Amino acid sequence: MFVNIPSQYLIIGSTVMAIFMGLFVMFVRIRSQKKPVTAKKILIPPIAMSSGALMFIFEEFRVTPLQILEAVVVGIIFSTVLIATSKFEVRQDEIYMKRSKAFFFILGGLLIIRVFMKVILSNSFNIGELGGMFWILAFSMLWPWRIAMFIQYKKIEKSLITA
């Protein structure tokens, strides 16, 4: 699939896309802080992202069990940082994401680390494997973060109902 495209173009293209996606996430996060949070808004992103696993149908995206383990471990480590910076607050009997200036620096830092890792690792892995590993990393980062948010949301929602 990627044989006719020089690898440096694929690395540059995927890096530019990662940067745009990171900026998009920051933009969405800023806008979402102005609206109440719902369980659906917390859970839909990881469910929607799961469709990306279809990439593994194609041989060039398949990774070894050790590569899966490495990507999952790094994703879980990254998720702990996001979990620590994602808090809720109650305003007018509704639950909102609490603004955190640190969140944007952390998200930007994670994006820079990820791009840096991709550039370095592109010499050791083919572009398809690298894409698969980074999808696993992102998926492993998103699920624990959203599950932690959902648990925190449900606790606050329960306290609002009983109050």
Side-chain angles (χ1 to χ4, degrees):
M1 180 186 254
F2 299 119
V3 178
N4 297 329
I5 303 171
S7 64
Q8 66 266 24
Y9 292 143
L10 294 172
I11 296 295
I12 292 168
S14 63
T15 301
V16 168
M17 284 301 296
I19 291 169
F20 278 118
M21 288 170 56
L23 292 172
F24 178 73
V25 167
M26 288 183 191
F27 176 74
V28 168
R29 180 72 187 251
I30 289 170
R31 291 194 61 185
S32 69
Q33 290 175 343
K34 297 176 183 175
K35 298 177 185 172
V37 177
T38 64
K40 193 189 283 189
K41 288 179 183 178
I42 293 171
L43 295 176
I44 285 178
I47 291 168
M49 186 183 175
S50 65
S51 65
L54 292 172
M55 79 170 71
F56 296 110
I57 292 172
F58 300 100
E59 184 74 32
E60 54 265 355
F61 292 106
R62 294 188 189 147
V63 294
T64 66
L66 182 59
Q67 292 169 332
I68 293 169
L69 180 64
E70 291 168 349
V72 167
V73 168
V74 172
I76 290 171
I77 290 168
F78 283 5
S79 75
T80 59
V81 176
L82 292 172
I83 291 167
T85 59
S86 298
K87 304 292 180 214
F88 294 105
E89 63 184 355
V90 177
R91 286 188 252 148
Q92 301 167 353
D93 292 329
E94 293 187 294
I95 304 169
Y96 290 82
M97 283 298 297
K98 193 181 263 189
R99 290 182 185 244
S100 169
K101 291 180 183 177
F103 178 82
F104 297 106
F105 291 110
I106 290 167
L107 196 61
L110 292 175
L111 181 63
I112 290 167
I113 290 168
R114 195 171 163 205
V115 168
F116 184 70
M117 286 171 45
K118 181 183 271 188
V119 170
I120 288 175
L121 294 174
S122 66
N123 295 324
S124 304
F125 299 96
N126 73 45
I127 191 71
E129 280 180 321
L130 200 56
M133 287 178 70
F134 277 98
W135 181 87
I136 293 168
L137 185 152
F139 197 67
S140 300
M141 181 174 66
L142 188 63
W143 269 105
W145 175 38
R146 292 302 178 130
I147 289 169
M149 286 175 63
F150 182 73
I151 291 168
Q152 185 181 4
Y153 171 82
K154 282 298 185 181
K155 285 180 184 175
I156 295 171
E157 184 182 53
K158 187 176 180 179
S159 71
L160 283 176
I161 292 169
T162 59

